[in-house]
Amino acid sequence: MRSDFAAALRCDIFCNVIDNYGDIGVCWRLARQLANEHGLSVRLWVEDLASFAKLCPDADATLDSQHRRGVEVCAWRTEFPDVQPASIVIEAFACKLPGSYIEAMAEQEQQPAWINLEYLSAEDWVHGCHGLPSPHPRLPLTKYFFFPGFTRQTGGLLLERDLLARRDAFLNDGAAQEGFWKSLGLGMPAADILKISLFAYENAALPGLFDAWASGTQAILCLVPEGRILPQLGLYFGAAAPRAGNEYARGNLRVRVLPFVAQEDYDMLLWACDLNFVRGEDSCVRAQWAGKPFVWQIYPQHDDVHWQKLQAFLDLYNAPRLSAGEDARAVLAQQGLWREWNQEGGAGATWPAFAAALDELKHRAQDWARLLAENNLALNLLDFCQKVGRIRALKIEGQ
Ligand code: TRH
């Protein structure tokens, strides 16, 4: 339901696509949520519309402006048009706003709520930085840092209002599941087949892991969305250029290459599988909402700072288990495979212990998703904009 006031409230989100799909993935998700769940009038400025079109296949990458799922998606070109700034301005991942737009923000009667939406991290320092102001050196404007995160001292995570209900409905609906597998060109896998989705960067650990799966006693169906891992998959199976629809088998392992689907449809793959390999930021969060065990390939950064990020997440994720004095075997099994996968090492050797811990890891994943759901980023963001006093009282849906 739109409140009359919120209908008048405008939000501009700026996204500069650095690499891959994570930046645009987060912005597109947030834009849709603000528009469709909170009734804001949202413009999403994207400088790489081709990447956007991968997530939203009905988009036209040549258009200056188009309306998709309730959001106006605009091409962000070097020559920036003379537009009136919105009341909420979100600069995603410290992308640099156009100079003319910043000047126009300063000329507004009421200063817009200017938010720098940061990358996700479970590290402790985020608590001290979330919400910090950064006054503009020259203009009467203040930008605020807004950090997504896993604890109450952060901005929380993006979660659509109906996501968990849709997930549960899917998991309780055999016909819906059958329809999903059919849409992939597959029959419903037998109950004793372990279904694994694998969305990954290039990873030298792949052949070892495939070997472990192929030679194991458990039948495995591995679903690989088109992307950066495909050349290695091709090498493993001796196939020239694997494409969506291709299928390969060795021993107890069957691999199917999937098309890269619209962002809304990717969730179903995560729900339908027993284990999900994910990467970067957004797919990692979606895997957590799926409530299934997952393996995270973190986005590699300079100076190996991503290792601290990975360890911080593992510590937070496992802390309640360990402090409850539970058997640490599942935790160790999880850490073993995550580390080897991320350092492109002997992931295959860690597989048997991980596989043995799958049931316990599933319970942990379900508890974790329930815990996280209490901290909703879109709600927190709107609340924050209201608190920093730049916009009039908002009727925030869901509060
Ligand atoms: O693409 P990524 O590797 O993005 C990364 C990270 O976000 C990283 O933090 C950032 O700094 C770097 O890019 C530049 O992984 P991520 O974040 O999971 O984004 C993938 C998006 O693609 C996500 O929104 C889910 C979506 N997706 C689909 O829409 N369809 C698909 O079939 C698949 C597999 C993914």
Side-chain angles (χ1 to χ4, degrees):
M1 284 278 284
R2 279 170 166 250
S3 75
D4 285 347
F5 176 74
L9 191 63
R10 292 189 304 112
C11 173
D12 275 331
I13 302 178
F14 287 85
C15 179
N16 181 5
V17 178
I18 309 274
D19 198 3
N20 306 309
Y21 303 111
D23 300 328
I24 184 60
V26 168
C27 292
W28 175 225
R29 202 178 286 294
L30 174 63
R32 289 200 315 271
Q33 220 184 321
L34 292 178
N36 300 322
E37 295 184 15
H38 300 286
L40 272 70
S41 173
V42 181
R43 264 186 316 209
L44 173 60
W45 298 90
V46 188
E47 51 70 65
D48 175 6
L49 282 168
S51 294
F52 170 68
K54 286 285 281 185
L55 274 62
C56 176
D58 55 322
D60 181 341
T62 64
L63 293 179
D64 277 346
S65 162
Q66 56 197 303
H67 287 267
R68 294 285 174 264
R69 320 273 192 285
V71 174
E72 183 182 0
V73 182
C74 302
W76 178 4
R77 308 204 193 282
T78 323
E79 281 295 304
F80 197 76
D82 189 13
V83 295
Q84 208 213 331
S87 326
I88 298 178
V89 178
I90 298 172
E91 146 184 336
F93 314 116
C95 68
K96 223 166 159 286
L97 296 192
S100 61
Y101 188 91
I102 297 178
E103 297 286 342
M105 276 163 72
E107 284 161 17
Q108 299 303 297
E109 204 175 297
Q110 187 141 26
Q111 199 187 102
W114 182 4
I115 304 291
N116 175 17
L117 178 65
E118 274 292 346
Y119 284 110
L120 175 63
S121 174
E123 290 162 293
D124 282 346
W125 60 262
V126 167
H127 297 156
C129 297
H130 174 57
L132 281 185
S134 165
H136 193 280
R138 184 171 55 83
L139 298 167
L141 290 170
T142 302
K143 174 160 70 180
Y144 292 87
F145 291 94
F146 194 92
F147 281 83
F150 304 93
T151 63
R152 281 281 171 194
Q153 298 103 300
T154 70
L157 297 174
L158 282 170
L159 170 64
E160 295 81 3
R161 193 159 39 198
D162 60 349
L163 183 80
L164 301 185
R166 281 194 288 118
R167 177 199 67 185
D168 293 344
F170 177 83
L171 292 174
N172 288 317
D173 183 344
Q177 290 173 40
E178 218 170 306
F180 167 75
W181 290 106
K182 203 169 161 197
S183 74
L184 301 182
L186 296 166
M188 182 104 162
D192 60 348
I193 294 179
L194 189 70
K195 304 170 292 293
I196 302 178
S197 79
L198 192 134
F199 179 42
Y201 307 120
E202 300 79 3
N203 194 325
L206 187 75
L209 191 60
F210 272 5
D211 279 347
W213 290 350
S215 61
T217 50
Q218 164 86 60
I220 290 180
L221 171 62
C222 176
L223 302 150
V224 185
E226 276 182 317
R228 290 170 53 174
I229 194 88
L230 284 199
Q232 277 172 297
L233 188 151
L235 273 179
Y236 185 82
F237 288 105
R243 281 186 296 125
N246 288 163
E247 212 168 293
Y248 309 93
R250 185 175 294 179
N252 248 340
L253 168 66
R254 178 176 161 212
V255 174
R256 171 90 174 195
V257 181
L258 302 184
F260 195 92
V261 294
Q263 197 186 44
E264 295 96 323
D265 297 336
Y266 176 55
D267 285 312
M268 244 184 298
L269 176 64
L270 300 171
W271 301 340
C273 287
D274 305 301
L275 168 65
N276 296 299
F277 281 68
V278 285
R279 70 180 209 195
E281 182 166 323
D282 191 56
S283 58
C284 179
V285 172
R286 304 315 280 185
Q288 291 170 62
W289 294 137
K292 299 286 182 79
F294 66 104
V295 179
W296 181 27
Q297 187 179 16
I298 195 165
Y299 182 73
Q301 285 172 276
H302 302 298
D303 305 331
D304 284 348
V305 286
H306 57 285
W307 279 108
Q308 285 156 35
K309 223 169 142 172
L310 186 74
Q311 192 56 49
F313 178 79
L314 279 169
D315 289 347
L316 194 68
Y317 190 79
N318 290 316
R321 292 254 122 156
L322 294 174
S323 65
E326 285 184 29
D327 188 343
R329 256 180 309 182
V331 172
L332 291 175
Q334 183 207 26
Q335 298 201 341
L337 177 53
W338 281 41
R339 288 217 183 94
E340 292 302 324
W341 186 240
N342 277 282
Q343 63 197 13
E344 306 193 32
T350 64
W351 173 250
F354 189 90
L358 269 175
D359 278 347
E360 198 174 329
L361 291 172
K362 184 172 175 188
H363 290 131
R364 175 72 195 117
Q366 289 168 344
D367 291 348
W368 177 252
R370 266 191 294 275
L371 191 79
L372 290 188
E374 291 162 20
N375 200 10
N376 186 303
L377 188 143
L379 288 174
N380 292 339
L381 180 73
L382 292 174
D383 196 35
F384 181 79
C385 290
Q386 199 171 307
K387 282 203 186 99
V388 297
R390 305 301 172 217
I391 52 176
R392 286 170 290 161
L394 258 175
K395 180 175 174 290
I396 301 173
E397 305 290 342
Q399 278 200 327

